[in-house]
Amino acid sequence: MEQAILDYLKDKREIYLKELSEFLSIPSISALPDHKGDVQKAAEWTADALERIGMEQVKVYETKGHPVVYGEWLKAEGKPTILIYGHYDVQPVDPLHLWETPPFEAAIRDEKIYARGATDDKGQVFMHLKAVEAILQSTGTLPVNFKFCIEGEEEIGSPNLPTFVEENKELLAADVIVISDTGMLEKGKPAICYGLRGLCGLQIDVKGAKGDLHSGLFGGAIQNPIHALVQLVNSFHDANGKITVDGFYDRVQLLTDEEKQAYANLNISDESFKEQAGASELFGEEGFTTLERVWVRPTLEVNGIYGGFQGEGIKTVIPSEASAKITCRLVPDQDPDEIVSLLQKHIEKNKPEGVEVTVSLFDKGSPFVTPFDHPAIQAAGRVYEKVYGVPTSYTRMGGSIPIVAAFDQILKLPVVLMGFGLPDENFHAPNEHFHLENFDKGLDTLCYYWYELENSL
């Protein structure tokens, strides 16, 4: 890669930060209807930015919700095509009083830029735009072909993007998808996430008598829905944390010895997990390390439970109903629909007598993994190490990004999750920020990556 590209990035740094501040000033909160116009404005800003850096066929595609922005540059004949995905929508800012500076007025202090969207995901999307600009302006061409797919609904679960992708497979066809919407392990320690857990969830509603009853008149004579719900919830696990739903683990993909060694090499201690959680002890499925439990083993968690009198003091009633919300984090090769079916069968099999039980389903997403020895992932690891001067870590994430699995399933492409955020940058919280050290090094890393991919795919 030419030194002129790196020099260009340094020369343009202040201009870039002003442009990023402009992007961050748009309150593109996809979850709030009052901001629909702002989301549209952010889409148009993104489209204009793509045109300014030299992308062609730029278009704002309308959906049933917020728009998808597309642009391309396909003049590198015989070279790989990279599809870059990101999102221009942001989370709500509440509670507003906890922000030290207004969330949509970017402020730089202590070599960090503060604003909603600074790290999730406008800042990282912006880096992709400017890395491409720097190469094209410095050399007059690009080492690989590019397609951009930037959406406005990621923060509300990307409800319309899978349909868009399904309907535009040819438009989005590529050799690899690169996403910068994840983070590094910690300051100075780059990481490539090559797998995410999937998700499925449901609500269990238990109904007993026609209304709340006096516990002195009916206690001991009828089933208490809370007791029944607790009994049902307790049936999901054994004493050692193993999920007892028949068939739940049948399709779970086991770790390779190489992956196990890679995780051990990270030297992440159980004490650090306890410290982060503020917990006195760790607990989980027996026979697996803590990292394995949170990255590559499936879970079933009760996220909320309700029933009976919730006010101060005591009200001596037998409640007529109780509810619990449950989610499962899933791993390759578990199928969300199959897991939901297994849960429903388990609930029906273990339903206590004397109550009616109904189940309502929530959104779901499939797990995802790209083998971490894939050439595109290893190329990313090499350029991270070149810029940051330390070995790259290869990790999975315990969380879920459903659209990543959708890309994997619909387009059948490897996905490289190449993030530059840090865990303590308050994404989704007040005072969200992005370290400018990673803004600078991230731009260099991306530029090196495109040249590394030129001959790796």
Side-chain angles (χ1 to χ4, degrees), residues 25-38:
S25 73
I26 305 172
S28 49
I29 305 171
S30 54
L32 302 180
D34 288 348
H35 287 276
K36 183 176 181 179
D38 295 314

Side-chain angles (χ1 to χ4, degrees), residues 54 56 72-79 140-142 144-146:
E56 301 173 345
E72 66 182 32
W73 189 95
L74 303 176
K75 298 178 181 179
E77 187 176 348
K79 299 298 182 179
T141 188
L142 294 170
V144 292
N145 298 294
F146 286 96

Side-chain angles (χ1 to χ4, degrees), residues 210-280:
K210 61 182 180 181
D212 290 357
L213 300 173
H214 193 295
S215 65
L217 297 178
F218 291 94
I222 65 168
Q223 176 67 277
N224 185 318
I226 294 180
H227 296 180
L229 179 62
V230 169
Q231 180 181 332
L232 188 53
V233 166
N234 193 53
S235 73
F236 286 120
H237 297 87
D238 67 15
N240 296 315
K242 182 179 180 180
I243 296 167
T244 55
V245 176
D246 290 341
F248 190 86
Y249 294 104
D250 285 358
R251 297 183 185 273
V252 171
Q253 190 181 107
L254 299 179
L255 271 184
T256 65
D257 291 340
E258 191 176 9
E259 287 176 299
K260 287 186 177 183
Q261 187 58 52
Y263 296 170
N265 292 342
L266 295 176
N267 293 318
I268 299 177
S269 69
D270 283 358
E271 289 302 317
S272 68
F273 272 96
K274 287 194 282 189
E275 184 177 341
Q276 289 179 44
S280 60

Side-chain angles (χ1 to χ4, degrees), residues 106-160:
I108 296 177
R109 54 184 184 272
D110 302 322
E111 276 301 288
K112 305 167 190 173
I113 185 166
Y114 286 79
R116 174 58 88 227
T119 187
D120 181 23
D121 182 37
K122 285 181 177 177
Q124 300 198 63
V125 166
F126 183 82
M127 287 165 58
H128 277 286
L129 300 177
K130 295 307 167 181
V132 169
E133 176 190 299
I135 297 173
L136 193 54
Q137 291 298 317
S138 299
T139 69
T141 188
L142 294 170
V144 292
N145 298 294
F146 286 96
K147 295 181 177 182
F148 286 84
C149 176
I150 314 298
E151 69 153 323
E153 296 187 326
E154 195 275 344
E155 298 293 6
I156 54 173
S158 303
N160 293 295

Side-chain angles (χ1 to χ4, degrees), residues 358-372:
T358 57
V359 175
S360 304
L361 306 183
F362 295 139
D363 291 343
K364 51 188 177 290
S366 297
F368 147 81
V369 67
T370 292
F372 82 100

